[in-house]
Amino acid sequence: MKIVKDVAEMQRTADEIRRSGKRLGLVPTMGYLHEGHMSLVDEARKNADVVAISIYVNPTQFAPNEDLSSYPRDFARDEKLAETRGVDIIFAPSDSVMYPHKQLAFVEIEEVSRVLEGEFRPTHFKGVASVVAKLFNIVKPHMAVFGQKDAQQAFIIRKMVSDLNFDVNIVLAPIVREEDGLALSSRNIYLSEDERKKATVLYRSLKLAQKAVGDNERNLARVRSEMLELIASQSTGKVDYIDFVDPDTFSKVEDVGSLERVLALLAVRFGRTRLIDNMILETRPK
Ligand code: PAF
């Protein structure tokens, strides 16, 4: 496994791989790897001959009051995990490599960056889209894998790729959950033992939504109320939002209408830890 820390070297390496006729896949990460990331690596392996992961905690996607400085980092552990899973290249730049000068060029995906996560983190998706654009220009992948766990991020990256004609195929990988339903996230490490147990209510609330919609409930405001009640009765989690969108457009929906699938998304704070989760609700189960 090759570790690359420099932009020019990564671009040269990518050019060589491309010239040799091999397909290069990228899994962009912020490190502190877990099984969720590893499932993205497996997905990349299915689609590419050479698998690269990037490990970079991107400062421009954190607001000043967020957890940039405390975001968990453990490169030695990440390196071992990546190697064991058959990753070929780790691109691990420093801040001065990624942002050598004051950055003035950014990518903004309008409208969809302002809702849900964007209401609570107004600058977040500008940072995400811009760093992913930089990573695409540096690693030059044929394809890249993103997790459905960050559903809004995945939608935004797809929109960027399609609107700006990036020559990268985006593949989405399903959410990986612990046995008790908690979606894997590097931030789960912040949870106390009690918060960790209570956080499983997020999955239960999404399953409740799936059941309600599957049982023909069309009114999503009512589904939201039931989810809020469940979360309040089983935890001290503070709900930032529970929303429903059309998965194809990301526009909010309050009624199932003729949609066959509705994406339910939520963000809930447990102490200082903010968790997000989502589920595609099948409105006409077999
Ligand atoms: O999902 C993440 O870990 C980050 O937002 C990403 C895509 C690596 C960009 O920094």
Side-chain angles (χ1 to χ4, degrees):
M1 188 176 68
K2 185 169 173 168
I3 297 172
V4 182
K5 299 197 165 181
D6 173 70
V7 169
E9 189 193 345
M10 186 63 240
Q11 287 174 327
R12 259 196 321 275
T13 306
D15 288 342
E16 277 162 27
I17 293 163
R18 284 178 157 262
R19 263 200 306 275
S20 72
K22 290 187 173 150
R23 269 179 75 74
L24 175 56
L26 171 66
V27 178
T29 83
M30 298 207 298
Y32 213 69
L33 302 177
H34 50 66
E35 192 50 36
H37 297 111
M38 293 300 113
S39 75
L40 307 185
V41 167
D42 294 347
E43 199 56 46
R45 177 60 65 202
K46 286 189 215 152
N47 292 273
D49 307 301
V50 178
V51 175
I53 68 169
S54 58
I55 297 183
Y56 180 58
V57 183
N58 170 44
T60 67
Q61 68 191 74
F62 289 80
N65 61 333
E66 290 180 353
D67 56 344
L68 173 63
S69 58
S70 59
Y71 195 85
R73 294 163 170 89
D74 188 342
F75 188 75
R77 179 174 159 278
D78 287 349
E79 196 183 330
K80 264 194 222 126
L81 263 176
E83 178 126 54
T84 318
R85 205 62 163 235
V87 167
D88 301 296
I89 301 169
I90 297 183
F91 176 57
S94 63
D95 286 342
S96 58
V97 163
M98 284 303 270
Y99 299 105
H101 315 290
K102 185 171 193 261
Q103 180 101 0
L104 297 179
F106 290 92
V107 181
E108 273 209 74
I109 317 302
E110 295 180 350
E111 297 176 17
V112 69
S113 292
R114 302 262 164 249
V115 294
L116 290 98
E117 278 301 284
E119 271 173 45
F120 293 85
R121 309 182 72 191
T123 56
H124 175 63
F125 289 120
K126 177 179 169 187
V128 169
S130 303
V131 81
V132 170
K134 281 164 81 75
L135 290 169
F136 285 174
N137 285 329
I138 296 167
V139 182
K140 306 189 191 186
H142 295 90
M143 60 83 58
V145 190
F146 290 83
Q148 176 65 22
K149 161 79 174 21
D150 295 299
Q152 191 172 2
Q153 164 174 286
F155 185 90
I156 282 170
I157 298 302
R158 281 188 145 166
K159 191 76 184 126
M160 174 182 88
V161 162
S162 122
D163 284 6
L164 299 179
N165 305 94
F166 277 84
D167 191 11
V168 183
N169 181 33
I170 304 298
V171 171
L172 290 197
I175 299 177
V176 180
R177 298 181 182 280
E178 303 275 11
E179 255 171 43
D180 60 9
L182 183 69
L184 296 195
S185 162
S186 304
R187 288 189 168 102
N188 290 351
I189 191 178
Y190 299 148
L191 295 166
S192 70
E193 207 177 307
D194 185 52
E195 288 166 347
R196 165 69 189 78
K197 270 189 216 138
K198 304 253 165 77
T200 54
V201 75
L202 301 195
Y203 183 54
R204 284 195 297 283
S205 74
L206 289 165
K207 287 213 306 197
L208 179 151
Q210 173 61 85
K211 169 128 188 16
V213 166
D215 286 349
N216 224 22
E217 174 62 85
R218 308 284 92 175
N219 181 327
L220 295 169
R222 272 202 295 264
V223 178
R224 180 188 292 109
S225 301
E226 283 182 39
M227 294 169 78
L228 284 168
E229 248 173 62
L230 182 77
I231 293 171
S233 68
Q234 298 190 4
S235 79
T236 50
K238 304 263 176 298
V239 177
D240 275 352
Y241 62 82
I242 295 177
D243 271 313
F244 303 92
V245 302
D246 175 343
D248 296 329
T249 60
F250 231 86
S251 24
K252 287 193 193 185
V253 285
E254 287 295 319
D255 192 279
V256 172
S258 59
L259 291 174
E260 289 187 5
R261 297 173 334 142
V262 168
L263 176 59
L265 306 104
L266 49 75
V268 180
R269 282 173 287 122
F270 290 86
R272 66 185 185 111
T273 314
R274 189 167 177 281
L275 300 180
I276 58 172
D277 202 348
N278 68 84
M279 188 181 280
I280 300 256
L281 312 180
E282 304 288 342
T283 64
R284 289 179 194 154
K286 284 147 225 148

